[in-house]
Structures are given as structure tokens and as C-alpha cells.
DNA sequence: AAATCGGGCAACCGCGCGCAG
DNA sequence: CCTGCGCGCGGTTGCCCGATT
């Protein structure tokens, strides 16, 4: 059950905006500000839904918006932030002055995700596709799990570098080393109360663990993991990260059934609440070693050359 | 030259969250 | 505490236009 429509759909215009409508909206917002969007159409003399007005303003009419192509630096930043934050486009867009979440989202969907795929990197997990395919292949030839094998208590996240058959592609070793480093920086910045920080020293919350979740989870519940990949393939989105609730109270992956990756997201969300995520990202970006392209080459810094 | 295809982008939709009454 | 409302977000759709056949 969702909210009722915010306006009378029969009496509002839909579709592309005309120059006249843009002018009316711009004139109104420049004189009165944006305030209450539901009242804007009436006050501005527009036969539009307030929601549509807000969208048009924020994505197109708002001052200081950039309309030129994305730069190499912006591309790299988007890829990096997507690896850390997933499809939280508004947060990513906040780090890109003059860009809207819609801009970033469209650019990702139409360009960046394809570039990553062309480079053999899965745009959802930011892991080499070869790893994922190999993992799925491994799954396919595995015998059905025994009852003991399916026990959640046997679940132990592993480092991908230590997992046989999960070695990154040679060209992407640097990429993942740097990526994991920054992902772990995010974790490090989390509140001490965050699940990962509360874990025991030999079982700390690491993004690499989450990335390796599926491989390790094969040991516990192969059918569940495969289901996640199938979901991801069907949904074409972040389903592989899971929509489950959170990690078990006893630590990372303790529950076994929930995706540990979703626990990472939960940890991020917790962190959002306790310290502004903008500050978190700003801290990361302030690190001179942050940018992939700074000195050592990497996959992301070469995105433009991959096509 | 016409038809078809595919990419890119603007806009829409549904939902969750926060806040005020 | 509950309810309704408005805002913002992410996912999706549909149109436009250039490329290809």
C-alpha cells in the first residue's frame, strides 16, 4: 500500500516541459524560493504536479548545474563512491558539484557500468566478472550441501586473495587492492558501535569479507548464494547486496542466512545516522592517496581507454 | 530514402522517512 | 502515540535522435 497520488492526475500535464513552463517555474522559484512544492504549480500558474515541478527544477533549472560531459575525474569518483556506497545516487551526487542524482544515475547506467563490464569488472559487486563466473561454476559442479555443511555456524568470511579459485584478474589486482583499502577505510571511520568495529580482532568487519561473502557462503548454503546471483541478474540492480535486515547480533555473518554484504550497508546506514555521510566521504576524499589515478595506474583511471 | 535498432536522457512512479498537528 | 502530509530517493519507463541496415 503506497501513498495516494499527490495530485489529481486527470488535471495535470505530463511529459516534456516547454520553454514557457520552464520560464514560469524559474520565475516563481527565483522570486519565492522552492518552499512547498505542492503549492508551486498553482502559484506559478502551471498545470503540473508539484513533484514534477520539483524534479524539473532540481534536475534541470536549478542554478549552478553542469550540463557538460562528465570529466575523467568525475568518472573515477563515481566509480569509487559506487563501490563504497552502492546505488545511493544522491550521496554520490553530493560529492559532484553541479551534478544531480539523476545525472549520475543515468551516466552510470548508460556509460560507466558498460565500461566496467568491458573491463571485466562486475558493476554491482566491483569484482572481476571472472571471479563471479568461476564462483558460479564452482557452485554448479558442487554436490548438494550436506545438513552439516548448511550449518550457519560453519560460515566464515574469507579474504578473496586467500580463497583458491578466486584470484583477481591480473590487470585488476591493483584495482581491488586500492578499492578494498578504501572500502576498509570507510569501515574504519565507522562508529565504534558499528557491528564490524564491535567484532573480535580476528573477525573484523571488512569490505573484502563482504565481497568474498558469496564464495565463503558456498560452504554454508550454496543454493542461497546462487539465488542471490540470479536475483541480481534478473533485477539488474543491487539485489546481490541483499534486502535482508542486518547482521546477527553475535557479529559479522553470524546468522549465516542474511547476506553479510547487506550488513555492510546496514553499517553504512548506521554510520550515516551518527556522523554525516558527507563528512565521512569528505574525510576519505581528503586522503591524498584516495584517487586511483594519483600516480599508480589502475583500472578505474583507465576507464576512458577501455572502450 | 525508408525502416529499424539502440543509446541517451528526461520524466514518471512508488515507496520510505521525517515532521507537524 | 498516531496519523496525514510533503519531500526526497531509487528504479523504471518512454521518447527522441543518431546510427545502421
Amino acid at each position: 500500500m503506497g501513498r495516494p497520488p499527490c495530485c489529481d492526475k486527470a488535471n495535470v500535464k505530463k511529459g516534456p516541459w516547454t520553454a514557457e513552463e520552464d520560464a514560469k517555474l524559474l520565475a516563481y522559484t527565483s522570486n519565492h524560493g522552492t518552499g512547498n512544492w505542492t503549492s508551486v504549480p498553482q502559484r506559478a500558474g502551471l498545470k503540473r504536479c508539484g513533484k514534477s515541478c520539483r524534479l524539473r527544477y532540481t534536475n534541470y533549472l536549478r542554478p549552478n548545474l553542469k550540463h557538460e560531459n562528465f570529466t575523467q575525474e568525475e568518472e573515477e569518483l563515481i566509480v569509487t563512491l559506487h563501490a563504497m556506497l552502492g546505488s545511493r545516487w544522491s550521496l554520490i551526487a553530493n560529492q559532484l558539484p553541479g551534478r544531480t542524482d539523476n545525472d549520475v544515475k543515468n551516466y552510470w547506467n548508460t556509460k560507466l557500468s558498460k565500461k566496467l563490464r568491458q573491463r571485466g569488472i562486475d558493476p554491482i559487486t566491483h569484482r572481476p566478472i571472472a571471479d563471479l563466473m568461476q564462483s558460479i561454476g564452482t557452485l554448479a559442479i558442487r554436490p548438494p550441501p550436506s545438513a552439516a555443511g548448511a550449518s550457519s555456524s560453519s560460515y566464515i568470511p574469507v579474504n578473496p586473495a586467500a580463497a583458491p579459485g578466486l584470484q583477481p584478474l591480473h590487470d585488476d589486482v591493483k584495482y581491488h587492492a586500492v578499492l578494498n583499502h578504501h572500502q576498509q577505510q570507510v569501515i574504519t571511520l565507522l562508529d565504534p558501535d558499528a557491528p564490524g568495529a564491535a567484532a573480535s580482532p580476528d573477525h573484523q568487519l571488512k569490505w573484502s569479507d563482504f565481497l568474498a561473502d558469496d564464495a565463503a557462503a558456498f560452504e554454508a548454503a550454496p543454493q542461497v548464494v546462487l539465488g542471490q546471483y540470479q536475483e541480481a541478474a534478473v533485477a539488474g540492480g543491487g539485489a546481490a547486496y541483499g534486502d535482508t535486515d542486518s547482521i546477527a547480533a553475535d557479529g559479522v555473518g553470524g546468522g549465516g542466512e542474511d547476506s553479510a554484504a547487506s550488513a555492510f550497508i546496514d553499517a553504512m546506514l548506521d554510520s550515516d545516522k551518527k556522523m554525516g555521510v558527507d563528512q565521512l566521504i569528505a574525510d576519505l576524499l581528503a586522503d591524498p592517496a584516495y584517487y586511483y589515478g594519483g600516480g599508480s595506474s589502475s583500472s578505474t583511471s583507465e576507464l576512458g581507454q577501455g572502450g
Side-chain angles (χ1 to χ4, degrees):
Chain A
M1 292 294 283
R3 282 175 52 80
C6 64
C7 50
D8 182 3
K9 290 184 178 180
N11 293 322
V12 298
K13 184 185 173 196
K14 287 164 55 169
W17 281 65
T18 65
E20 184 184 1
E21 288 175 313
D22 281 347
K24 282 183 180 177
L25 181 56
L26 206 49
Y28 177 84
T29 53
S30 60
N31 288 332
H32 302 91
T34 53
N36 185 345
W37 281 112
T38 54
S39 67
V40 165
Q42 187 181 6
R43 294 169 184 268
L46 292 163
K47 293 188 189 309
R48 291 273 181 175
C49 176
K51 210 170 172 179
S52 179
C53 292
R54 181 180 59 81
L55 207 62
R56 181 64 178 174
Y57 179 79
T58 55
N59 287 340
Y60 192 81
L61 298 176
R62 196 174 43 155
N64 303 324
L65 283 182
K66 286 186 193 173
H67 294 291
E68 58 266 31
N69 292 337
F70 281 78
T71 66
Q72 183 75 23
E73 288 73 23
E74 286 175 318
E75 276 192 10
E76 292 169 7
L77 189 54
I78 293 169
V79 171
T80 304
L81 290 174
H82 186 272
M84 292 193 298
L85 302 171
S87 56
R88 296 165 76 180
W89 304 116
S90 61
L91 292 180
I92 295 172
N94 281 345
Q95 309 307 317
L96 295 160
R99 303 296 188 186
T100 69
D101 57 346
N102 212 36
D103 283 343
V104 175
K105 180 173 56 180
N106 283 334
Y107 192 64
W108 175 269
N109 287 333
T110 59
K111 299 271 185 63
L112 288 181
S113 62
K114 289 174 188 172
K115 282 188 181 182
L116 286 178
R117 280 195 197 93
Q118 285 170 0
R119 286 200 54 80
I121 297 168
D122 176 43
I124 298 171
T125 62
H126 292 260
R127 287 184 62 188
I129 292 170
D131 279 8
L132 301 178
M133 297 306 293
Q134 193 165 14
S135 298
I136 293 171
T138 302
L139 169 65
I141 62 175
R142 276 180 183 274
S146 67
S151 166
S152 60
S153 63
S154 68
Y155 173 75
I156 302 172
V158 297
N159 185 319
L166 285 176
Q167 296 299 328
L169 293 176
H170 177 74
D171 288 346
D172 291 313
V173 168
K174 277 185 183 175
Y175 172 83
H176 287 283
V178 176
L179 178 58
N180 285 344
H181 170 70
H182 292 304
Q183 285 161 345
Q184 288 172 23
Q185 277 187 297
V186 174
I187 294 298
T188 303
L189 289 170
L190 295 182
D191 186 273
D193 292 338
S200 61
D202 59 346
H203 200 145
Q204 289 184 343
L205 181 68
K206 293 180 181 176
W207 177 256
S208 56
D209 290 341
F210 291 101
L211 292 178
D213 164 49
D214 292 342
F218 290 146
E219 302 296 331
Q223 73 284 6
V224 172
V225 176
L226 180 59
Q228 289 176 348
Y229 280 116
Q230 289 169 335
E231 271 185 53
V234 170
Y241 283 163
D243 297 323
T244 52
D245 295 326
S246 74
I247 61 175
D250 60 344
V252 178
E257 295 179 359
D258 287 350
S259 162
S262 71
F264 177 86
I265 301 301
D266 289 337
M268 290 290 298
L269 293 172
D270 286 345
S271 175
D272 288 358
K273 293 173 186 171
K274 291 167 182 170
M275 59 177 289
V277 72
D278 282 348
Q279 182 60 47
L280 178 70
I281 294 170
D283 289 345
L284 269 182
L285 298 185
D287 180 354
Y290 179 78
Y291 294 97
Y292 294 146
S296 62
S297 69
S298 68
S299 297
T300 47
S301 66
E302 295 162 359
L303 282 173
Q305 303 162 19

